Amino acid sequence: MALSCGPHFGRLARLPVGIVGGMESEKVRRRTAALLVLLVFLTAAGLAASKSKTCDKGWECKASIYCCNETISDFFQVYQFENLFSKRNAPVAHAVGFWDYHSFITASTFYQPLGFGTTGGKQMAMKEVAAFLGHVGSKTSCGYGVATGGPLAWGLCYNREMSPSQSYCNPDYLYPCTPGVDYYGRGAIPVYWNYNYGIIGDGIKVNLLDHPEYLEQNATVAFQAAMWRWMTPMKKKQPSAHDVFVGNWKPTKNDTMAKRLPGFGTTMNVLYGDEVCGQGSIDSMNNIISHYQYYLDLMGVGRQSSGDNPDCAEQEAFNPSYQPASS
């Protein structure tokens, strides 16, 4: 503590130097001891707090504050997965026997400690699982208007693009195409183009650039790649689909002007940009929303709880697919 220039300094100045020094030394010792006690207390309190915030829930969720909440298998079980994707193993489906509940849960163990399906209360967690699977179901569906069970019952019908129109290879310095390899759509949220296979492969630590076929050979890897995409922003200073859905993201003034607001609608913007968003009430957008709401109903949450801002009809894309020419 600094000495003031008031009366206390005057009184100390009249005392013999030895006494002043002794008194000051004693004060310093007392203050130091008090600070040490306070530091020990705060450290202990901090350690106790950090320990109290971290939980383990068996193999499914470990060493995270999010693991203190219910895990996905607590509220989303095998029979519900079967209800959501009731036609995926029908004889006319194209990925019979590929997709299963265990692969979904196994993939989710990488992301539940990060908040996937474990953020907020039970209802928010259920809604996030329904939202994620709404994208998955719509992108892998072979349902149509008069299909048995209705068009929304046919999610996870595919695990790959059936008739690719091209190889989806584009020159890229970081992720050059592997000779003889095609990068057509594969997976739970289909991945296209060599650079996307490279980026996502790096993210999940699987060599998808050389082996994109892993996404149609291993359901756990396919779900993991889709969850990584859901949880990861594509660019700095942009949100992930997870963040915009669970409320972690706060839109800027520019976002608000671009009509990008928290909710399911902006998850489509993050994942697909102007391929789906900013084009009014188009079928591709409405199909994704319909799957999400259908799954909410089947999970017992109800579409009435689908939340604010469910569409992106008027949103500007975070990453436009083209840039207008500068004048």
Side-chain angles (χ1 to χ4, degrees):
M1 180 182 292
L3 293 174
S4 68
C5 293
H8 295 291
F9 181 80
R11 284 196 291 271
L12 287 174
R14 297 189 189 98
L15 294 172
V17 173
I19 296 175
V20 173
M23 292 176 65
E24 285 302 297
S25 297
E26 182 61 25
K27 285 184 178 180
V28 169
R29 281 194 293 270
R30 288 178 181 175
R31 289 173 187 149
T32 301
L35 286 172
L36 286 172
V37 170
L38 180 61
L39 181 61
V40 169
F41 173 80
L42 291 175
T43 301
L47 288 172
S50 64
K51 286 180 180 178
S52 67
K53 291 180 181 178
T54 303
C55 303
D56 285 348
K57 288 285 184 69
W59 67 277
E60 191 177 346
C61 196
K62 291 184 176 182
S64 168
I65 60 172
Y66 297 106
C67 300
C68 299
N69 299 325
E70 289 186 283
T71 60
I72 292 176
S73 65
D74 287 332
F75 59 79
F76 183 66
Q77 299 173 11
V78 177
Y79 78 91
Q80 291 167 298
F81 184 89
E82 297 296 330
N83 286 343
L84 267 58
F85 304 109
S86 60
K87 299 297 182 182
R88 76 186 190 284
N89 290 326
V92 295
H94 299 278
V96 174
F98 182 75
W99 303 104
D100 64 280
Y101 173 82
H102 184 265
S103 297
F104 171 74
I105 294 296
T106 302
S108 75
T109 63
F110 293 93
Y111 303 102
Q112 291 192 57
L114 303 178
F116 174 66
T118 51
T119 296
K122 180 178 178 180
Q123 186 176 57
M124 173 56 77
M126 293 175 75
K127 285 171 60 176
E128 182 176 14
V129 169
F132 170 77
L133 290 177
H135 285 279
V136 169
S138 66
K139 292 297 181 178
T140 58
S141 175
C142 56
Y144 54 96
V146 294
T148 304
L152 302 178
W154 289 82
L156 295 180
C157 174
Y158 295 104
N159 62 2
R160 55 161 288 182
E161 185 180 6
M162 299 305 296
S163 301
S165 60
Q166 56 177 305
S167 66
Y168 298 97
C169 172
N170 200 46
D172 189 86
Y173 177 75
L174 290 177
Y175 301 109
C177 300
T178 300
V181 171
D182 293 330
Y183 296 98
Y184 55 78
R186 300 175 177 89
I189 296 178
V191 181
Y192 294 84
W193 298 102
N194 48 298
Y195 40 84
N196 288 324
Y197 277 94
I199 291 168
I200 294 172
D202 284 352
I204 66 172
K205 297 179 173 57
V206 175
N207 183 7
L208 296 180
L209 187 64
D210 292 335
H211 297 284
E213 71 275 7
Y214 289 165
L215 293 184
E216 57 182 288
Q217 294 176 349
N218 187 308
T220 298
V221 174
F223 275 129
Q224 188 183 349
M227 291 173 190
W228 183 89
R229 182 70 183 87
W230 177 263
M231 297 294 294
T232 308
M234 283 292 97
K235 289 187 177 180
K236 290 182 179 179
K237 298 184 179 179
Q238 289 186 5
S240 65
H242 166 78
D243 286 336
V244 303
F245 187 80
V246 302
N248 292 341
W249 172 65
K250 304 301 180 187
T252 65
K253 181 178 179 181
N254 287 340
D255 289 317
T256 303
M257 291 175 63
K259 300 185 178 179
R260 297 188 293 257
L261 299 170
F264 184 76
T266 305
T267 69
M268 292 184 279
N269 196 327
V270 171
L271 295 174
Y272 319 118
D274 51 18
E275 176 188 332
V276 169
C277 299
Q279 301 185 51
S281 186
I282 60 175
D283 289 344
S284 58
M285 181 194 74
N286 290 329
N287 184 52
I288 300 169
I289 297 170
S290 294
H291 277 82
Y292 166 49
Q293 294 178 335
Y294 175 68
Y295 295 163
L296 284 175
D297 288 342
L298 291 182
M299 290 173 66
V301 179
R303 64 183 60 216
Q304 72 276 5
S305 299
S306 56
D308 296 332
N309 311 309
D311 70 79
C312 62
E314 305 301 325
Q315 290 186 17
E316 294 179 23
F318 281 107
N319 302 302
S321 56
Y322 69 92
Q323 296 291 338
S326 57
S327 55

